Structures are given as C-alpha cells and as structure tokens.
Amino acid sequence: MKKTFKLKVENKNSDRLLEAIKHEIRKYIKREKRKTLPEDVDFWKFNCKFAKNDEEAKEIDFLDITNCINEAASEGCESFYMEILTSEGIKPKKEVSEDKEETSEEE
C-alpha cells in the first residue's frame, strides 16, 4: 500500500475522517496477514514509511503507525503519505548450548 491520505476534506468531520483512515489501514493489514504463508516463512513482516505533507518518507516501526497518524492530525497537516510493504519474516532458530545438554544427560 502506497497512498497519500488527506486529513482535511471539505464538508467532512476531521475526527471521522481520521478514524476512517485508520480503519482502512487496519483493514489492509488484516487482509495481508490472512494471506497464506510460503513454506519456509514464519510470519509476514511489514516495512513502513511515513511522511507529513510533502516531506521525504522516513522508515517507522510497525507499532508506531497510529502514533504517527495522530501526530500528523494534531499538528494540523493537510495530508500524509503512508507506505506499508509486506515481506517474508523468518524467526531465527534458537541454538541449544552444549552445556545444557551435558547437564541434563548427567542427571
């Protein structure tokens, strides 16, 4: 999803518009999470970028999406740019140390 959202639209309540934008983003994320995972993939990873008005987009953490949107709305920005790209996430395997294996064998 690469989209520019307008925060100020004529004849629309800004609070309702803000909630509609958040709803659209949440709906997109839920739809992406529902897609079937390839065999060697553990989860879907989201790479996010955010920019206020005409600034250059900066990478943000997935958990900071709503905070950035709220911040842009409170500052009175006309619009903001949101980019959410899905990639494959793989959890690193935990290695069992040899010391733990030896102590469990001795007991």
Side-chain angles (χ1 to χ4, degrees), residues 2-105:
K2 297 179 182 180
K3 189 170 181 180
T4 302
F5 294 96
K6 293 186 179 188
L7 289 172
K8 295 185 179 180
V9 178
E10 192 174 318
N11 298 329
K12 290 200 177 180
N13 185 336
S14 60
D15 293 335
R16 286 189 175 198
L17 187 62
L18 184 63
E19 290 304 315
I21 291 169
K22 289 179 187 177
H23 176 72
E24 184 178 340
I25 291 172
R26 287 184 191 116
K27 193 165 80 172
Y28 172 79
I29 291 169
K30 286 180 184 178
R31 182 176 41 223
E32 289 296 310
K33 284 183 176 181
R34 276 195 313 260
K35 290 183 178 177
T36 56
L37 292 168
E39 277 188 35
D40 298 336
V41 178
D42 296 325
F43 61 95
W44 291 117
K45 181 179 176 183
F46 294 99
N47 302 320
C48 308
K49 290 186 180 181
F50 182 83
K52 298 174 192 170
N53 294 329
D54 293 330
E55 296 176 0
E56 187 174 330
K58 297 178 184 175
E59 284 193 34
I60 61 169
D61 190 35
F62 175 71
L63 300 174
D64 293 333
I65 291 174
T66 54
N67 293 337
C68 290
I69 294 170
N70 289 335
E71 183 180 316
S74 65
E75 290 178 6
C77 295
E78 294 287 324
S79 63
F80 67 88
Y81 171 77
M82 176 63 68
E83 179 178 321
I84 303 173
L85 300 175
T86 309
S87 63
E88 300 172 346
I90 300 172
K91 292 181 184 177
K93 303 285 182 185
K94 291 184 179 179
E95 294 184 22
V96 179
S97 65
E98 294 176 16
D99 296 335
K100 290 181 181 179
E101 289 179 2
E102 290 176 6
T103 56
S104 62
E105 289 175 7

